């Protein structure tokens, strides 16, 4: 399988055609005799916010690791194209406890502007003045804010997020959703968000995919203005469509339904 950081221009395309932020063709990943990704095709446009849903074991995190170039055992006769600058965000903030907050955010950055960039990133996520704090002095929500700052300080072309809000309480999740929308609008990276929360996917994403049996089974464009209200009838229509695709009867499912095995999804 050929990996092409920075992307490729398709034959016949003009020089002005934007390169995709993610492009996979015929991607395969096996664990023993079990194929998790089965010739998966996916294209994510620059600046596009895409959410990925799927039942437990459907391969969401496997796909994310492949796109992050962390899994070198992915097979395929096609291609895996990603940009040079890729950042990751996880459910666990992954802050190093022996480093103060600014040093965590700028970890790996070089050059005289690293400190300034780190301070700017902390201010953007509402942590101005906390640069000397230790990770254990922060709440869970603040730690995730710091993780977002660390991801965005590198000015990524692609942000990969694996259930970054899954461990947060409901009120903190709402605040983090608003923050992520604001940061995406400001920095415009492409985002590939893995989530089990259907409402979160509809609220945040331009496009929601459902992964089933190793392939994309649903590709749904979310045409709603921001900020989005869960009371909007169209929000409920998108939600019901996705829940039905996940094997949950949408109209009877409570708000905040996740695509977990508890709901046969």
């Amino acid at each position: 399988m050929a990996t092409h950081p920075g992307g490729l221009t398709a034959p016949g395309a003009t020089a002005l055609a934007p390169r995709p932020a993610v492009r996979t063709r015929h991607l395969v990943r096996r664990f023993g005799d079990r194929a998790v990704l089965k010739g998966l095709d996916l294209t994510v446009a620059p600046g596009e916010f895409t959410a990925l849903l799927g039942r437990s074991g459907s391969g969401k995190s496997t796909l994310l690791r492949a796109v992050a170039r962390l899994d070198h055992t992915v097979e395929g006769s096609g291609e895996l194209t990603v940009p040079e600058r890729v950042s990751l965000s996880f459910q666990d903030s992954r802050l190093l406890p022996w480093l103060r907050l600014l040093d965590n955010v700028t970890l790996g950055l070089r050059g005289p502007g690293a400190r300034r960039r780190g301070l700017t990133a902390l201010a953007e996520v509402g942590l101005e003045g906390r640069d000397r704090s230790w990770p254990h002095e922060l709440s869970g929500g603040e730690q995730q804010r710091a993780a977002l700052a660390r991801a965005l300080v590198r000015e990524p072309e692609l942000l990969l997020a694996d259930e970054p809000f899954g461990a947060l309480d409901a009120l903190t999740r709402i605040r983090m959703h608003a923050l992520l929308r604001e940061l995406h609008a400001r920095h415009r990276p492409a985002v590939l968000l893995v989530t089990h929360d259907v409402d979160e996917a509809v609220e945040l994403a331009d496009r929601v995919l459902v992964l089933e049996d190793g392939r994309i089974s649903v590709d749904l464009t979310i045409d709603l203005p921001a900020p989005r209200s869960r009371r909007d009838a169209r929000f409920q229509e998108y939600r019901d469509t996705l829940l039905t695709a996940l094997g949950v009867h949408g109209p009877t499912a409570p708000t905040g339904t996740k695509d977990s095995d508890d709901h046969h999804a």
Side-chain angles (χ1 to χ4, degrees):
M1 177 190 65
T3 300
H4 307 286
L8 294 175
T9 301
T14 67
L16 297 178
R19 296 175 299 186
V22 177
R23 180 180 173 89
T24 74
R25 289 294 178 266
H26 312 301
L27 213 60
V28 176
R29 177 63 165 101
R30 303 178 191 276
F31 293 92
D33 294 333
R34 177 173 175 254
V36 176
L37 302 180
K38 303 178 180 179
L40 186 140
D41 295 338
L42 171 64
T43 300
V44 177
E48 185 177 52
F49 196 130
T50 302
L52 183 63
L53 297 167
R55 307 183 188 197
S56 295
S58 63
K60 301 184 299 297
S61 294
T62 299
L63 174 59
L64 209 67
R65 287 194 297 272
V67 173
R69 293 177 290 190
L70 297 176
D71 187 350
H72 300 291
T73 58
V74 176
E75 309 165 24
S77 58
E79 63 183 273
L80 169 57
T81 305
V82 294
E84 289 284 354
R85 301 193 309 275
V86 179
S87 289
L88 293 93
S89 180
F90 302 95
Q91 185 174 131
D92 184 338
S93 66
R94 309 288 175 94
L95 299 177
L96 301 178
W98 56 87
L99 292 181
R100 295 186 187 272
L101 196 54
L102 180 60
D103 294 327
N104 263 288
V105 168
T106 60
L107 185 67
L109 287 183
R110 297 289 183 268
R115 176 179 171 80
R116 176 185 52 79
R117 289 168 60 187
L119 291 172
T120 299
L122 285 172
E124 282 191 310
V125 299
L127 292 174
E128 188 173 10
R130 302 296 301 276
D131 52 291
R132 296 287 297 166
S133 297
W134 297 103
H136 74 267
E137 297 174 332
L138 276 61
S139 68
E142 289 172 333
Q143 290 181 14
Q144 285 304 109
R145 286 173 180 267
L148 275 177
R150 182 179 56 195
L152 292 173
V153 76
R154 288 155 178 78
E155 300 178 354
E157 299 166 86
L158 173 64
L159 173 62
L160 303 173
D162 194 356
E163 299 189 68
F165 312 131
L168 302 178
D169 64 83
L171 182 58
T172 304
R173 284 169 69 98
I174 292 172
R175 292 171 176 164
M176 292 299 295
H177 288 168
L179 176 63
L180 183 55
R181 282 197 304 268
E182 177 186 337
L183 292 172
H184 177 252
R186 185 179 304 162
H187 293 276
R188 298 305 299 174
V191 178
L192 183 58
L193 169 72
V194 167
T195 179
H196 279 88
D197 190 324
V198 173
D199 291 341
E200 180 173 87
V202 177
E203 184 172 342
L204 292 175
D206 305 315
R207 177 184 174 206
V208 181
L209 310 175
V210 176
L211 188 60
E212 182 179 6
D213 196 28
R215 298 182 179 89
I216 302 297
S217 63
V218 174
D219 187 340
L220 184 64
T221 298
I222 307 297
D223 184 17
L224 291 173
R228 295 172 181 173
S229 171
R230 299 188 183 192
R231 298 192 181 107
D232 189 315
R234 290 177 299 166
F235 188 106
Q236 293 300 320
E237 289 173 6
Y238 287 127
R239 178 177 182 270
D240 291 346
T241 296
L242 292 167
L243 287 171
T244 299
L246 291 162
V248 181
H249 184 52
T252 62
T255 299
T257 299
K258 298 183 180 182
D259 60 325
S260 66
D261 290 333
D262 294 338
H263 297 281
H264 310 292

